[in-house]
Amino acid sequence: MGVIATVKELLGGPERTTSRSKGAYWCDECDERILDLDTDAEPPVCPSCGEEMRFERSPDSGGCAC
């Protein structure tokens, strides 16, 4: 067994995804945040209050909180 294979086996951890987030959905009422990669709905509804969430903050923008 090679050194790299041994290190990979020891570290174990979950596989990394190759998808990159484009931002997050925000609920203005509850300040809830859902990463765009964590939902299939467009736009999703807030799990706390049921209001429609808005998409905001691209990682390429200066104010990203992703």
Side-chain angles (χ1 to χ4, degrees):
M1 186 180 302
V3 173
I4 294 176
T6 303
V7 170
K8 283 183 181 179
E9 185 178 321
L10 289 173
L11 295 177
E15 294 292 321
R16 294 186 186 264
T17 60
T18 58
S19 299
R20 183 173 173 183
S21 172
K22 292 180 176 74
Y25 290 95
W26 295 84
C27 176
D28 293 319
E29 297 294 320
C30 304
D31 292 328
E32 292 257 0
R33 173 185 175 266
I34 298 177
L35 189 63
D36 65 336
L37 300 176
D38 293 339
T39 183
D40 292 329
E42 272 206 35
V45 294
C46 176
S48 296
C49 71
E51 290 293 318
E52 190 174 284
M53 300 175 89
R54 67 183 166 85
F55 188 77
E56 188 178 87
R57 300 186 183 187
S58 166
D60 298 329
S61 72
C64 179
C66 303

